[in-house]
Amino acid sequence: MSAVGKIVDVLRADAPLLDLLPGGIHQAEISRQTTPQAFDAYSEVRPCAHVRAEIITPTGPHKRSARLFVLAWFYQQAGYDYISKARARVFELLHKQRFTAQDEAIYEISHADDLLEAEDPGLNVSMERSRYQVMIQR
């Protein structure tokens, strides 16, 4: 399991977060084809998240250590009430935490930045995004 897979597993194991994101937490981009559970019976986006790796760069004193940036995108049909709370909950679950993934050791996760109260033009929905810096051993 990769570091991103481990992070997604940690998020999916949190009942309060799942209550805020009834459309699920996905590693695939949000679309009616790849993540149909993220949509309701009227084809509107339910509050949900998409977690993916952004970029990885070598860093640190060890030959195989690296800095991985992970993005968590949060969506809801309109407004920001659910996704703002979900973004805050993800911060509580990830910032300054350490996990062990099968393929990569996660030394520490640090919150890097947030994009607040934006719009996703492709889905035409409300969106917020968090970026996390993940120190790993590959």
Side-chain angles (χ1 to χ4, degrees), residues 59-85:
T59 190
H62 305 291
K63 180 180 176 181
R64 297 183 45 176
S65 60
R67 179 182 298 125
L68 169 68
F69 285 91
V70 174
L71 297 175
W73 299 89
F74 303 91
Y75 303 98
Q76 76 180 62
Q77 189 63 40
Y80 301 94
D81 50 338
Y82 286 95
I83 59 176
S84 290
K85 290 175 186 171

PDB file of all heavy atoms in Angstrom, residues 59-85:
ATOM      1  N   THR A  59      14.458  14.350  -0.857  1.00  0.00           N
ATOM      2  CA  THR A  59      14.852  15.325   0.164  1.00  0.00           C
ATOM      3  C   THR A  59      15.435  14.586   1.357  1.00  0.00           C
ATOM      4  O   THR A  59      15.270  13.378   1.491  1.00  0.00           O
ATOM      5  CB  THR A  59      13.656  16.186   0.610  1.00  0.00           C
ATOM      6  OG1 THR A  59      14.141  17.256   1.419  1.00  0.00           O
ATOM      7  CG2 THR A  59      12.641  15.405   1.392  1.00  0.00           C
ATOM      8  N   GLY A  60      16.072  15.302   2.226  1.00  0.00           N
ATOM      9  CA  GLY A  60      16.545  14.732   3.480  1.00  0.00           C
ATOM     10  C   GLY A  60      17.893  14.049   3.373  1.00  0.00           C
ATOM     11  O   GLY A  60      18.476  13.945   2.303  1.00  0.00           O
ATOM     12  N   PRO A  61      18.360  13.562   4.504  1.00  0.00           N
ATOM     13  CA  PRO A  61      19.703  12.988   4.558  1.00  0.00           C
ATOM     14  C   PRO A  61      19.793  11.549   4.032  1.00  0.00           C
ATOM     15  O   PRO A  61      20.878  11.073   3.762  1.00  0.00           O
ATOM     16  CB  PRO A  61      20.023  13.025   6.059  1.00  0.00           C
ATOM     17  CG  PRO A  61      18.683  12.866   6.711  1.00  0.00           C
ATOM     18  CD  PRO A  61      17.721  13.598   5.816  1.00  0.00           C
ATOM     19  N   HIS A  62      18.667  10.887   3.864  1.00  0.00           N
ATOM     20  CA  HIS A  62      18.696   9.482   3.466  1.00  0.00           C
ATOM     21  C   HIS A  62      18.521   9.339   1.960  1.00  0.00           C
ATOM     22  O   HIS A  62      17.795  10.113   1.325  1.00  0.00           O
ATOM     23  CB  HIS A  62      17.611   8.698   4.203  1.00  0.00           C
ATOM     24  CG  HIS A  62      17.706   8.833   5.684  1.00  0.00           C
ATOM     25  ND1 HIS A  62      18.726   8.280   6.423  1.00  0.00           N
ATOM     26  CD2 HIS A  62      16.909   9.487   6.563  1.00  0.00           C
ATOM     27  CE1 HIS A  62      18.565   8.584   7.694  1.00  0.00           C
ATOM     28  NE2 HIS A  62      17.460   9.318   7.815  1.00  0.00           N
ATOM     29  N   LYS A  63      19.135   8.325   1.402  1.00  0.00           N
ATOM     30  CA  LYS A  63      19.104   8.088  -0.040  1.00  0.00           C
ATOM     31  C   LYS A  63      17.683   7.912  -0.565  1.00  0.00           C
ATOM     32  O   LYS A  63      17.351   8.359  -1.655  1.00  0.00           O
ATOM     33  CB  LYS A  63      19.943   6.858  -0.357  1.00  0.00           C
ATOM     34  CG  LYS A  63      19.992   6.498  -1.813  1.00  0.00           C
ATOM     35  CD  LYS A  63      20.845   5.267  -2.032  1.00  0.00           C
ATOM     36  CE  LYS A  63      20.820   4.855  -3.491  1.00  0.00           C
ATOM     37  NZ  LYS A  63      21.617   3.654  -3.712  1.00  0.00           N
ATOM     38  N   ARG A  64      16.817   7.278   0.201  1.00  0.00           N
ATOM     39  CA  ARG A  64      15.474   6.968  -0.272  1.00  0.00           C
ATOM     40  C   ARG A  64      14.383   7.824   0.379  1.00  0.00           C
ATOM     41  O   ARG A  64      13.211   7.523   0.240  1.00  0.00           O
ATOM     42  CB  ARG A  64      15.193   5.488  -0.047  1.00  0.00           C
ATOM     43  CG  ARG A  64      16.138   4.603  -0.866  1.00  0.00           C
ATOM     44  CD  ARG A  64      15.828   3.172  -0.701  1.00  0.00           C
ATOM     45  NE  ARG A  64      14.379   2.999  -0.793  1.00  0.00           N
ATOM     46  CZ  ARG A  64      13.770   1.849  -0.767  1.00  0.00           C
ATOM     47  NH1 ARG A  64      14.457   0.763  -0.669  1.00  0.00           N
ATOM     48  NH2 ARG A  64      12.458   1.768  -0.844  1.00  0.00           N
ATOM     49  N   SER A  65      14.749   8.874   1.088  1.00  0.00           N
ATOM     50  CA  SER A  65      13.707   9.723   1.682  1.00  0.00           C
ATOM     51  C   SER A  65      13.212  10.732   0.644  1.00  0.00           C
ATOM     52  O   SER A  65      13.939  11.127  -0.253  1.00  0.00           O
ATOM     53  CB  SER A  65      14.222  10.437   2.934  1.00  0.00           C
ATOM     54  OG  SER A  65      15.316  11.266   2.631  1.00  0.00           O
ATOM     55  N   ALA A  66      11.938  11.098   0.789  1.00  0.00           N
ATOM     56  CA  ALA A  66      11.323  12.005  -0.175  1.00  0.00           C
ATOM     57  C   ALA A  66      10.213  12.810   0.482  1.00  0.00           C
ATOM     58  O   ALA A  66       9.706  12.457   1.542  1.00  0.00           O
ATOM     59  CB  ALA A  66      10.754  11.206  -1.353  1.00  0.00           C
ATOM     60  N   ARG A  67       9.837  13.881  -0.201  1.00  0.00           N
ATOM     61  CA  ARG A  67       8.714  14.722   0.215  1.00  0.00           C
ATOM     62  C   ARG A  67       7.607  14.499  -0.817  1.00  0.00           C
ATOM     63  O   ARG A  67       7.790  14.770  -1.998  1.00  0.00           O
ATOM     64  CB  ARG A  67       9.134  16.182   0.243  1.00  0.00           C
ATOM     65  CG  ARG A  67       8.028  17.134   0.630  1.00  0.00           C
ATOM     66  CD  ARG A  67       8.493  18.590   0.597  1.00  0.00           C
ATOM     67  NE  ARG A  67       9.563  18.805   1.557  1.00  0.00           N
ATOM     68  CZ  ARG A  67      10.772  19.316   1.248  1.00  0.00           C
ATOM     69  NH1 ARG A  67      11.064  19.656   0.021  1.00  0.00           N
ATOM     70  NH2 ARG A  67      11.689  19.488   2.176  1.00  0.00           N
ATOM     71  N   LEU A  68       6.477  13.992  -0.353  1.00  0.00           N
ATOM     72  CA  LEU A  68       5.323  13.746  -1.197  1.00  0.00           C
ATOM     73  C   LEU A  68       4.249  14.758  -0.835  1.00  0.00           C
ATOM     74  O   LEU A  68       3.932  14.920   0.347  1.00  0.00           O
ATOM     75  CB  LEU A  68       4.802  12.323  -0.962  1.00  0.00           C
ATOM     76  CG  LEU A  68       3.451  11.947  -1.542  1.00  0.00           C
ATOM     77  CD1 LEU A  68       3.522  11.902  -3.071  1.00  0.00           C
ATOM     78  CD2 LEU A  68       2.992  10.606  -0.984  1.00  0.00           C
ATOM     79  N   PHE A  69       3.718  15.452  -1.831  1.00  0.00           N
ATOM     80  CA  PHE A  69       2.600  16.350  -1.569  1.00  0.00           C
ATOM     81  C   PHE A  69       1.311  15.642  -1.958  1.00  0.00           C
ATOM     82  O   PHE A  69       1.208  15.056  -3.034  1.00  0.00           O
ATOM     83  CB  PHE A  69       2.751  17.667  -2.331  1.00  0.00           C
ATOM     84  CG  PHE A  69       3.775  18.568  -1.715  1.00  0.00           C
ATOM     85  CD1 PHE A  69       5.101  18.517  -2.111  1.00  0.00           C
ATOM     86  CD2 PHE A  69       3.421  19.454  -0.706  1.00  0.00           C
ATOM     87  CE1 PHE A  69       6.054  19.336  -1.532  1.00  0.00           C
ATOM     88  CE2 PHE A  69       4.372  20.275  -0.114  1.00  0.00           C
ATOM     89  CZ  PHE A  69       5.697  20.207  -0.532  1.00  0.00           C
ATOM     90  N   VAL A  70       0.353  15.669  -1.044  1.00  0.00           N
ATOM     91  CA  VAL A  70      -0.938  15.007  -1.234  1.00  0.00           C
ATOM     92  C   VAL A  70      -2.028  16.078  -1.190  1.00  0.00           C
ATOM     93  O   VAL A  70      -2.032  16.922  -0.298  1.00  0.00           O
ATOM     94  CB  VAL A  70      -1.179  13.940  -0.144  1.00  0.00           C
ATOM     95  CG1 VAL A  70      -2.568  13.355  -0.249  1.00  0.00           C
ATOM     96  CG2 VAL A  70      -0.117  12.845  -0.243  1.00  0.00           C
ATOM     97  N   LEU A  71      -2.927  16.010  -2.166  1.00  0.00           N
ATOM     98  CA  LEU A  71      -4.047  16.942  -2.234  1.00  0.00           C
ATOM     99  C   LEU A  71      -5.330  16.243  -1.809  1.00  0.00           C
ATOM    100  O   LEU A  71      -5.577  15.101  -2.203  1.00  0.00           O
ATOM    101  CB  LEU A  71      -4.237  17.451  -3.663  1.00  0.00           C
ATOM    102  CG  LEU A  71      -3.087  18.252  -4.250  1.00  0.00           C
ATOM    103  CD1 LEU A  71      -3.374  18.566  -5.710  1.00  0.00           C
ATOM    104  CD2 LEU A  71      -2.862  19.524  -3.465  1.00  0.00           C
ATOM    105  N   ALA A  72      -6.126  16.935  -1.035  1.00  0.00           N
ATOM    106  CA  ALA A  72      -7.468  16.470  -0.677  1.00  0.00           C
ATOM    107  C   ALA A  72      -8.447  17.528  -1.169  1.00  0.00           C
ATOM    108  O   ALA A  72      -8.454  18.661  -0.684  1.00  0.00           O
ATOM    109  CB  ALA A  72      -7.602  16.266   0.828  1.00  0.00           C
ATOM    110  N   TRP A  73      -9.228  17.168  -2.186  1.00  0.00           N
ATOM    111  CA  TRP A  73     -10.243  18.048  -2.761  1.00  0.00           C
ATOM    112  C   TRP A  73     -11.586  17.705  -2.128  1.00  0.00           C
ATOM    113  O   TRP A  73     -11.929  16.534  -2.017  1.00  0.00           O
ATOM    114  CB  TRP A  73     -10.327  17.843  -4.267  1.00  0.00           C
ATOM    115  CG  TRP A  73      -9.066  18.147  -5.004  1.00  0.00           C
ATOM    116  CD1 TRP A  73      -8.040  17.288  -5.267  1.00  0.00           C
ATOM    117  CD2 TRP A  73      -8.685  19.394  -5.563  1.00  0.00           C
ATOM    118  NE1 TRP A  73      -7.053  17.927  -5.960  1.00  0.00           N
ATOM    119  CE2 TRP A  73      -7.421  19.226  -6.159  1.00  0.00           C
ATOM    120  CE3 TRP A  73      -9.295  20.641  -5.622  1.00  0.00           C
ATOM    121  CZ2 TRP A  73      -6.758  20.253  -6.801  1.00  0.00           C
ATOM    122  CZ3 TRP A  73      -8.633  21.666  -6.271  1.00  0.00           C
ATOM    123  CH2 TRP A  73      -7.385  21.472  -6.856  1.00  0.00           C
ATOM    124  N   PHE A  74     -12.350  18.714  -1.745  1.00  0.00           N
ATOM    125  CA  PHE A  74     -13.654  18.525  -1.109  1.00  0.00           C
ATOM    126  C   PHE A  74     -14.719  19.194  -1.972  1.00  0.00           C
ATOM    127  O   PHE A  74     -14.547  20.342  -2.384  1.00  0.00           O
ATOM    128  CB  PHE A  74     -13.667  19.142   0.287  1.00  0.00           C
ATOM    129  CG  PHE A  74     -12.604  18.591   1.189  1.00  0.00           C
ATOM    130  CD1 PHE A  74     -11.348  19.186   1.258  1.00  0.00           C
ATOM    131  CD2 PHE A  74     -12.849  17.468   1.948  1.00  0.00           C
ATOM    132  CE1 PHE A  74     -10.366  18.675   2.080  1.00  0.00           C
ATOM    133  CE2 PHE A  74     -11.865  16.944   2.778  1.00  0.00           C
ATOM    134  CZ  PHE A  74     -10.618  17.545   2.836  1.00  0.00           C
ATOM    135  N   TYR A  75     -15.825  18.487  -2.218  1.00  0.00           N
ATOM    136  CA  TYR A  75     -16.880  18.992  -3.096  1.00  0.00           C
ATOM    137  C   TYR A  75     -18.239  18.874  -2.432  1.00  0.00           C
ATOM    138  O   TYR A  75     -18.516  17.921  -1.710  1.00  0.00           O
ATOM    139  CB  TYR A  75     -16.945  18.172  -4.392  1.00  0.00           C
ATOM    140  CG  TYR A  75     -15.657  18.120  -5.166  1.00  0.00           C
ATOM    141  CD1 TYR A  75     -14.798  17.037  -5.046  1.00  0.00           C
ATOM    142  CD2 TYR A  75     -15.303  19.148  -6.031  1.00  0.00           C
ATOM    143  CE1 TYR A  75     -13.619  16.979  -5.764  1.00  0.00           C
ATOM    144  CE2 TYR A  75     -14.121  19.099  -6.747  1.00  0.00           C
ATOM    145  CZ  TYR A  75     -13.279  18.009  -6.614  1.00  0.00           C
ATOM    146  OH  TYR A  75     -12.108  17.956  -7.326  1.00  0.00           O
ATOM    147  N   GLN A  76     -19.116  19.826  -2.724  1.00  0.00           N
ATOM    148  CA  GLN A  76     -20.540  19.705  -2.413  1.00  0.00           C
ATOM    149  C   GLN A  76     -21.311  20.540  -3.425  1.00  0.00           C
ATOM    150  O   GLN A  76     -20.755  21.458  -4.039  1.00  0.00           O
ATOM    151  CB  GLN A  76     -20.874  20.074  -0.971  1.00  0.00           C
ATOM    152  CG  GLN A  76     -20.895  21.535  -0.621  1.00  0.00           C
ATOM    153  CD  GLN A  76     -21.247  21.751   0.845  1.00  0.00           C
ATOM    154  OE1 GLN A  76     -20.539  21.309   1.734  1.00  0.00           O
ATOM    155  NE2 GLN A  76     -22.353  22.440   1.081  1.00  0.00           N
ATOM    156  N   GLN A  77     -22.563  20.216  -3.620  1.00  0.00           N
ATOM    157  CA  GLN A  77     -23.356  20.838  -4.690  1.00  0.00           C
ATOM    158  C   GLN A  77     -23.391  22.357  -4.567  1.00  0.00           C
ATOM    159  O   GLN A  77     -23.179  23.066  -5.532  1.00  0.00           O
ATOM    160  CB  GLN A  77     -24.774  20.264  -4.702  1.00  0.00           C
ATOM    161  CG  GLN A  77     -25.598  20.688  -5.887  1.00  0.00           C
ATOM    162  CD  GLN A  77     -25.019  20.204  -7.216  1.00  0.00           C
ATOM    163  OE1 GLN A  77     -24.530  19.083  -7.317  1.00  0.00           O
ATOM    164  NE2 GLN A  77     -25.049  21.060  -8.229  1.00  0.00           N
ATOM    165  N   ALA A  78     -23.673  22.859  -3.377  1.00  0.00           N
ATOM    166  CA  ALA A  78     -23.743  24.310  -3.166  1.00  0.00           C
ATOM    167  C   ALA A  78     -23.378  24.604  -1.718  1.00  0.00           C
ATOM    168  O   ALA A  78     -23.646  23.804  -0.824  1.00  0.00           O
ATOM    169  CB  ALA A  78     -25.146  24.823  -3.475  1.00  0.00           C
ATOM    170  N   GLY A  79     -22.753  25.749  -1.497  1.00  0.00           N
ATOM    171  CA  GLY A  79     -22.359  26.126  -0.137  1.00  0.00           C
ATOM    172  C   GLY A  79     -21.082  25.420   0.288  1.00  0.00           C
ATOM    173  O   GLY A  79     -20.483  24.657  -0.477  1.00  0.00           O
ATOM    174  N   TYR A  80     -20.691  25.678   1.530  1.00  0.00           N
ATOM    175  CA  TYR A  80     -19.417  25.146   2.021  1.00  0.00           C
ATOM    176  C   TYR A  80     -19.541  24.537   3.406  1.00  0.00           C
ATOM    177  O   TYR A  80     -18.535  24.159   4.005  1.00  0.00           O
ATOM    178  CB  TYR A  80     -18.365  26.271   2.037  1.00  0.00           C
ATOM    179  CG  TYR A  80     -18.156  26.857   0.670  1.00  0.00           C
ATOM    180  CD1 TYR A  80     -18.863  27.983   0.258  1.00  0.00           C
ATOM    181  CD2 TYR A  80     -17.288  26.254  -0.220  1.00  0.00           C
ATOM    182  CE1 TYR A  80     -18.701  28.506  -1.010  1.00  0.00           C
ATOM    183  CE2 TYR A  80     -17.107  26.769  -1.498  1.00  0.00           C
ATOM    184  CZ  TYR A  80     -17.816  27.894  -1.888  1.00  0.00           C
ATOM    185  OH  TYR A  80     -17.661  28.393  -3.149  1.00  0.00           O
ATOM    186  N   ASP A  81     -20.754  24.429   3.941  1.00  0.00           N
ATOM    187  CA  ASP A  81     -20.920  23.995   5.323  1.00  0.00           C
ATOM    188  C   ASP A  81     -20.340  22.601   5.570  1.00  0.00           C
ATOM    189  O   ASP A  81     -19.567  22.403   6.509  1.00  0.00           O
ATOM    190  CB  ASP A  81     -22.377  24.091   5.767  1.00  0.00           C
ATOM    191  CG  ASP A  81     -23.353  23.442   4.807  1.00  0.00           C
ATOM    192  OD1 ASP A  81     -23.025  23.276   3.619  1.00  0.00           O
ATOM    193  OD2 ASP A  81     -24.459  23.102   5.245  1.00  0.00           O
ATOM    194  N   TYR A  82     -20.651  21.621   4.745  1.00  0.00           N
ATOM    195  CA  TYR A  82     -20.142  20.265   4.955  1.00  0.00           C
ATOM    196  C   TYR A  82     -18.651  20.162   4.645  1.00  0.00           C
ATOM    197  O   TYR A  82     -17.892  19.579   5.411  1.00  0.00           O
ATOM    198  CB  TYR A  82     -20.911  19.252   4.097  1.00  0.00           C
ATOM    199  CG  TYR A  82     -22.285  18.959   4.607  1.00  0.00           C
ATOM    200  CD1 TYR A  82     -23.388  19.635   4.108  1.00  0.00           C
ATOM    201  CD2 TYR A  82     -22.492  18.006   5.601  1.00  0.00           C
ATOM    202  CE1 TYR A  82     -24.661  19.378   4.582  1.00  0.00           C
ATOM    203  CE2 TYR A  82     -23.765  17.748   6.078  1.00  0.00           C
ATOM    204  CZ  TYR A  82     -24.844  18.432   5.561  1.00  0.00           C
ATOM    205  OH  TYR A  82     -26.099  18.175   6.033  1.00  0.00           O
ATOM    206  N   ILE A  83     -18.241  20.718   3.516  1.00  0.00           N
ATOM    207  CA  ILE A  83     -16.853  20.526   3.120  1.00  0.00           C
ATOM    208  C   ILE A  83     -15.878  21.327   3.982  1.00  0.00           C
ATOM    209  O   ILE A  83     -14.750  20.887   4.193  1.00  0.00           O
ATOM    210  CB  ILE A  83     -16.632  20.774   1.614  1.00  0.00           C
ATOM    211  CG1 ILE A  83     -17.025  22.184   1.184  1.00  0.00           C
ATOM    212  CG2 ILE A  83     -17.379  19.718   0.805  1.00  0.00           C
ATOM    213  CD1 ILE A  83     -16.739  22.503  -0.290  1.00  0.00           C
ATOM    214  N   SER A  84     -16.297  22.464   4.516  1.00  0.00           N
ATOM    215  CA  SER A  84     -15.418  23.202   5.432  1.00  0.00           C
ATOM    216  C   SER A  84     -15.200  22.410   6.720  1.00  0.00           C
ATOM    217  O   SER A  84     -14.077  22.335   7.234  1.00  0.00           O
ATOM    218  CB  SER A  84     -16.003  24.574   5.755  1.00  0.00           C
ATOM    219  OG  SER A  84     -15.944  25.403   4.630  1.00  0.00           O
ATOM    220  N   LYS A  85     -16.248  21.782   7.226  1.00  0.00           N
ATOM    221  CA  LYS A  85     -16.108  20.943   8.422  1.00  0.00           C
ATOM    222  C   LYS A  85     -15.282  19.696   8.120  1.00  0.00           C
ATOM    223  O   LYS A  85     -14.477  19.267   8.942  1.00  0.00           O
ATOM    224  CB  LYS A  85     -17.484  20.554   8.955  1.00  0.00           C
ATOM    225  CG  LYS A  85     -18.244  21.713   9.556  1.00  0.00           C
ATOM    226  CD  LYS A  85     -19.650  21.308   9.949  1.00  0.00           C
ATOM    227  CE  LYS A  85     -20.449  22.509  10.412  1.00  0.00           C
ATOM    228  NZ  LYS A  85     -21.866  22.188  10.598  1.00  0.00           N
TER     229      LYS A  85
END
